[in-house]
Amino acid sequence: MNDSTDKPVLVVEEHDDRVIATLNRPEKRNAIDQQTIDALHDLCERLEQHPRTLILTGAGGTFAAGADIAQLRDRGAAEALEGINTRAFMRVRELPMPVIAVVDGYALGGGAELAYAADIRIGTTTTKFGNPETGLGIIAAAGATWRLREIVGEAIAAEMLLTGRILNAHQSFAARLVTHLDDDRDEAMARAHKMADSIAKLGAQATQATKRAHLAPRSAHPQIDLEEQSVLFESDDKRERMGAFLDRRAKR
Protein backbone atom coordinates (compact mmCIF):
# COMPACT_ATOMS: atom_id res chain seq x y z
CA MET A 1 0.00 0.00 0.00
CA ASN A 2 3.01 2.28 0.31
CA ASP A 3 5.23 3.89 -2.30
CA SER A 4 9.01 3.91 -2.33
CA THR A 5 9.18 6.44 0.52
CA ASP A 6 7.05 4.15 2.69
CA LYS A 7 4.39 6.87 2.82
CA PRO A 8 0.72 5.83 2.56
CA VAL A 9 -0.58 6.57 -0.93
CA LEU A 10 -4.09 6.85 0.52
CA VAL A 11 -4.50 8.46 3.93
CA VAL A 12 -7.67 7.14 5.55
CA GLU A 13 -9.37 8.74 8.55
CA GLU A 14 -12.24 6.64 9.91
CA HIS A 15 -15.20 7.83 12.00
CA ASP A 16 -18.44 6.18 13.06
CA ASP A 17 -20.52 7.81 10.31
CA ARG A 18 -17.93 8.77 7.66
CA VAL A 19 -14.51 8.07 6.24
CA ILE A 20 -12.15 10.68 4.78
CA ALA A 21 -9.73 9.29 2.21
CA THR A 22 -6.98 11.51 0.78
CA LEU A 23 -4.96 10.58 -2.29
CA ASN A 24 -1.43 11.16 -1.05
CA ARG A 25 1.17 11.31 -3.82
CA PRO A 26 1.45 15.11 -4.09
CA GLU A 27 4.94 14.87 -5.57
CA LYS A 28 3.32 12.97 -8.48
CA ARG A 29 0.19 15.17 -8.46
CA ASN A 30 -1.59 12.15 -6.95
CA ALA A 31 -1.18 10.07 -10.11
CA ILE A 32 -3.14 6.87 -9.63
CA ASP A 33 -0.77 3.89 -9.61
CA GLN A 34 -1.26 0.23 -8.74
CA GLN A 35 -0.62 0.90 -5.04
CA THR A 36 -3.38 3.50 -5.04
CA ILE A 37 -5.75 1.05 -6.74
CA ASP A 38 -4.90 -1.62 -4.15
CA ALA A 39 -5.54 0.90 -1.36
CA LEU A 40 -8.90 1.85 -2.88
CA HIS A 41 -9.91 -1.82 -2.99
CA ASP A 42 -8.93 -2.22 0.68
CA LEU A 43 -10.98 0.85 1.57
CA CYS A 44 -13.99 -0.34 -0.42
CA GLU A 45 -13.88 -3.69 1.33
CA ARG A 46 -14.12 -1.96 4.71
CA LEU A 47 -16.95 0.31 3.56
CA GLU A 48 -18.87 -2.60 2.08
CA GLN A 49 -18.68 -4.36 5.44
CA HIS A 50 -19.32 -1.23 7.53
CA PRO A 51 -21.19 1.26 5.32
CA ARG A 52 -20.39 4.93 5.90
CA THR A 53 -20.30 8.09 3.82
CA LEU A 54 -16.98 8.49 2.00
CA ILE A 55 -15.33 11.87 1.48
CA LEU A 56 -12.63 11.49 -1.17
CA THR A 57 -10.04 14.18 -1.86
CA GLY A 58 -6.42 14.77 -2.83
CA ALA A 59 -3.38 16.25 -1.09
CA GLY A 60 -1.19 19.10 -2.26
CA GLY A 61 -3.67 21.17 -4.26
CA THR A 62 -4.52 18.45 -6.76
CA PHE A 63 -7.25 15.82 -6.77
CA ALA A 64 -5.49 13.49 -9.21
CA ALA A 65 -3.79 14.54 -12.43
CA GLY A 66 -4.28 11.18 -14.09
CA ALA A 67 -3.12 7.60 -13.93
CA ASP A 68 0.56 6.80 -13.49
CA ILE A 69 1.89 7.08 -17.05
CA ALA A 70 5.05 5.09 -16.32
CA GLN A 71 2.91 2.11 -15.31
CA LEU A 72 0.43 2.57 -18.17
CA ARG A 73 3.24 2.61 -20.70
CA ASP A 74 4.35 -0.86 -19.62
CA ARG A 75 0.85 -2.39 -19.67
CA GLY A 76 -0.28 -4.50 -22.61
CA ALA A 77 -3.52 -5.99 -23.93
CA ALA A 78 -3.90 -8.44 -21.06
CA GLU A 79 -3.73 -5.65 -18.48
CA ALA A 80 -6.18 -3.54 -20.49
CA LEU A 81 -8.71 -6.37 -20.42
CA GLU A 82 -8.28 -6.72 -16.65
CA GLY A 83 -9.78 -3.24 -16.23
CA ILE A 84 -7.44 -2.42 -13.36
CA ASN A 85 -8.67 1.14 -12.78
CA THR A 86 -12.13 0.50 -14.20
CA ARG A 87 -13.05 -2.15 -11.65
CA ALA A 88 -11.74 -0.15 -8.73
CA PHE A 89 -13.72 2.93 -9.76
CA MET A 90 -16.86 0.84 -10.31
CA ARG A 91 -16.45 -0.49 -6.79
CA VAL A 92 -16.23 3.08 -5.48
CA ARG A 93 -19.37 3.96 -7.44
CA GLU A 94 -21.28 1.01 -6.00
CA LEU A 95 -20.43 1.63 -2.34
CA PRO A 96 -23.53 1.34 -0.13
CA MET A 97 -23.44 4.91 1.21
CA PRO A 98 -22.88 8.21 -0.62
CA VAL A 99 -19.44 9.16 -1.96
CA ILE A 100 -18.53 12.86 -1.96
CA ALA A 101 -15.49 13.94 -3.98
CA VAL A 102 -13.82 17.22 -3.05
CA VAL A 103 -12.02 18.17 -6.25
CA ASP A 104 -9.33 20.79 -5.70
CA GLY A 105 -7.04 21.50 -8.64
CA TYR A 106 -6.64 19.04 -11.48
CA ALA A 107 -8.83 16.00 -12.03
CA LEU A 108 -7.50 14.63 -15.29
CA GLY A 109 -7.65 11.27 -17.03
CA GLY A 110 -7.99 8.52 -14.45
CA GLY A 111 -8.29 11.17 -11.75
CA ALA A 112 -11.32 12.63 -13.49
CA GLU A 113 -12.79 9.16 -13.89
CA LEU A 114 -12.42 8.50 -10.17
CA ALA A 115 -14.22 11.79 -9.46
CA TYR A 116 -16.97 10.85 -11.95
CA ALA A 117 -17.57 7.71 -9.85
CA ALA A 118 -18.62 9.82 -6.86
CA ASP A 119 -22.27 10.58 -6.16
CA ILE A 120 -21.56 14.24 -5.38
CA ARG A 121 -18.65 16.42 -6.49
CA ILE A 122 -17.64 19.68 -4.81
CA GLY A 123 -15.14 21.94 -6.57
CA THR A 124 -12.93 24.92 -5.78
CA THR A 125 -11.89 27.91 -7.85
CA THR A 126 -8.82 25.93 -9.02
CA THR A 127 -10.76 22.87 -10.19
CA LYS A 128 -10.02 21.61 -13.71
CA PHE A 129 -11.55 18.50 -15.32
CA GLY A 130 -10.38 16.81 -18.47
CA ASN A 131 -9.81 13.53 -20.30
CA PRO A 132 -6.73 13.97 -22.51
CA GLU A 133 -6.16 10.23 -23.01
CA THR A 134 -6.25 10.31 -26.81
CA GLY A 135 -3.18 12.53 -26.71
CA LEU A 136 -1.39 9.55 -25.13
CA GLY A 137 -2.67 7.10 -27.71
CA ILE A 138 -5.33 5.48 -25.50
CA ILE A 139 -8.99 6.02 -24.59
CA ALA A 140 -10.62 7.00 -21.31
CA ALA A 141 -11.54 3.42 -20.47
CA ALA A 142 -12.18 3.69 -16.72
CA GLY A 143 -15.66 5.14 -16.92
CA ALA A 144 -15.55 8.44 -18.82
CA THR A 145 -16.88 7.08 -22.14
CA TRP A 146 -20.18 6.13 -20.53
CA ARG A 147 -20.35 8.01 -17.23
CA LEU A 148 -19.39 11.49 -18.39
CA ARG A 149 -22.32 11.83 -20.79
CA GLU A 150 -24.69 10.93 -17.96
CA ILE A 151 -23.30 13.83 -15.94
CA VAL A 152 -22.77 16.62 -18.49
CA GLY A 153 -24.73 15.47 -21.54
CA GLU A 154 -23.72 14.18 -24.95
CA ALA A 155 -22.35 17.39 -26.47
CA ILE A 156 -19.91 18.43 -23.74
CA ALA A 157 -18.84 14.84 -23.09
CA ALA A 158 -18.05 14.36 -26.79
CA GLU A 159 -16.00 17.55 -26.89
CA MET A 160 -14.03 16.65 -23.77
CA LEU A 161 -13.35 13.09 -24.90
CA LEU A 162 -12.65 13.78 -28.57
CA THR A 163 -10.72 17.05 -28.37
CA GLY A 164 -9.09 16.80 -24.96
CA ARG A 165 -10.81 19.99 -23.79
CA ILE A 166 -10.17 20.81 -20.14
CA LEU A 167 -12.95 22.58 -18.23
CA ASN A 168 -11.98 25.20 -15.67
CA ALA A 169 -13.83 25.63 -12.39
CA HIS A 170 -16.68 27.81 -13.66
CA GLN A 171 -17.10 25.71 -16.80
CA SER A 172 -17.21 22.58 -14.63
CA PHE A 173 -19.93 24.15 -12.50
CA ALA A 174 -21.92 25.24 -15.56
CA ALA A 175 -21.62 21.70 -16.95
CA ARG A 176 -22.83 20.28 -13.61
CA LEU A 177 -19.65 18.33 -13.05
CA VAL A 178 -19.63 19.93 -9.59
CA THR A 179 -22.64 21.13 -7.63
CA HIS A 180 -20.74 23.73 -5.61
CA LEU A 181 -17.64 25.90 -6.04
CA ASP A 182 -15.83 27.01 -2.91
CA ASP A 183 -12.88 29.38 -2.58
CA ASP A 184 -10.43 26.72 -1.45
CA ARG A 185 -10.10 23.11 -0.33
CA ASP A 186 -10.73 23.91 3.36
CA GLU A 187 -14.09 25.46 2.52
CA ALA A 188 -14.94 22.60 0.18
CA MET A 189 -14.05 20.04 2.85
CA ALA A 190 -16.20 21.91 5.36
CA ARG A 191 -19.10 21.71 2.91
CA ALA A 192 -18.50 17.99 2.40
CA HIS A 193 -18.57 17.43 6.15
CA LYS A 194 -21.79 19.43 6.42
CA MET A 195 -23.30 17.15 3.77
CA ALA A 196 -22.05 14.11 5.67
CA ASP A 197 -23.66 15.52 8.83
CA SER A 198 -26.98 15.78 6.99
CA ILE A 199 -26.68 12.24 5.65
CA ALA A 200 -25.89 10.93 9.15
CA LYS A 201 -29.22 12.31 10.42
CA LEU A 202 -31.19 10.39 7.81
CA GLY A 203 -32.19 6.76 7.80
CA ALA A 204 -29.14 4.73 6.78
CA GLN A 205 -31.25 1.88 5.42
CA ALA A 206 -33.34 4.29 3.38
CA THR A 207 -30.25 6.13 2.13
CA GLN A 208 -28.68 2.90 0.92
CA ALA A 209 -31.94 1.85 -0.76
CA THR A 210 -32.18 5.25 -2.45
CA LYS A 211 -28.64 4.94 -3.80
CA ARG A 212 -29.33 1.45 -5.17
CA ALA A 213 -32.47 2.69 -6.91
CA HIS A 214 -30.72 5.81 -8.19
CA LEU A 215 -27.94 3.76 -9.79
CA ALA A 216 -30.28 1.18 -11.31
CA PRO A 217 -30.93 1.38 -15.08
CA ARG A 218 -34.21 2.88 -16.29
CA SER A 219 -35.45 -0.61 -17.23
CA ALA A 220 -35.30 -1.62 -13.56
CA HIS A 221 -37.90 0.99 -12.58
CA PRO A 222 -40.46 1.06 -11.10
CA GLN A 223 -39.98 -2.51 -9.87
CA ILE A 224 -36.80 -1.77 -7.94
CA ASP A 225 -38.48 1.19 -6.21
CA LEU A 226 -41.42 -0.95 -5.13
CA GLU A 227 -39.19 -3.76 -3.89
CA GLU A 228 -36.96 -1.42 -1.91
CA GLN A 229 -40.00 0.36 -0.47
CA SER A 230 -41.60 -2.92 0.55
CA VAL A 231 -38.59 -3.67 2.74
CA LEU A 232 -38.47 -0.17 4.20
CA PHE A 233 -42.19 -0.20 4.98
CA GLU A 234 -41.57 -3.10 7.37
CA SER A 235 -38.52 -1.55 9.06
CA ASP A 236 -38.34 -0.39 12.66
CA ASP A 237 -36.54 2.76 11.52
CA LYS A 238 -39.49 3.77 9.34
CA ARG A 239 -41.97 3.25 12.20
CA GLU A 240 -39.81 5.17 14.69
CA ARG A 241 -39.13 8.09 12.36
CA MET A 242 -42.74 8.43 11.24
CA GLY A 243 -43.94 8.09 14.82
CA ALA A 244 -41.57 10.84 15.94
CA PHE A 245 -42.74 13.05 13.07
CA LEU A 246 -46.40 12.61 14.04
CA ASP A 247 -45.60 13.30 17.70
CA ARG A 248 -43.84 16.56 16.82
CA ARG A 249 -46.73 17.62 14.62
CA ALA A 250 -49.24 16.84 17.37
CA LYS A 251 -47.29 18.98 19.84
CA ARG A 252 -47.27 21.92 17.42
Side-chain angles (χ1 to χ4, degrees), residues 129-135 158-167:
F129 278 95
N131 286 99
E133 282 88 344
T134 52
E159 185 174 348
M160 291 176 68
L161 293 168
L162 297 175
T163 75
R165 178 187 177 190
I166 294 175
L167 302 187

Side-chain angles (χ1 to χ4, degrees), residues 181-196:
L181 278 183
D182 289 302
D183 287 337
D184 54 38
R185 181 177 177 274
D186 288 343
E187 288 190 11
M189 287 295 291
R191 185 185 297 277
H193 279 289
K194 187 174 181 180
M195 288 184 181

Side-chain angles (χ1 to χ4, degrees), residues 71-121:
Q71 290 188 1
L72 284 183
R73 182 187 57 190
D74 294 334
R75 290 176 184 171
E79 289 85 2
L81 291 173
E82 286 179 22
I84 294 170
N85 290 7
T86 303
R87 300 191 190 286
F89 299 168
M90 289 179 69
R91 200 170 179 185
V92 169
R93 179 64 169 162
E94 294 166 3
L95 285 171
M97 290 289 284
V99 178
I100 304 169
V102 173
V103 182
D104 184 38
Y106 285 104
L108 302 178
E113 291 176 302
L114 176 56
Y116 301 157
D119 299 293
I120 300 166
R121 285 165 296 280

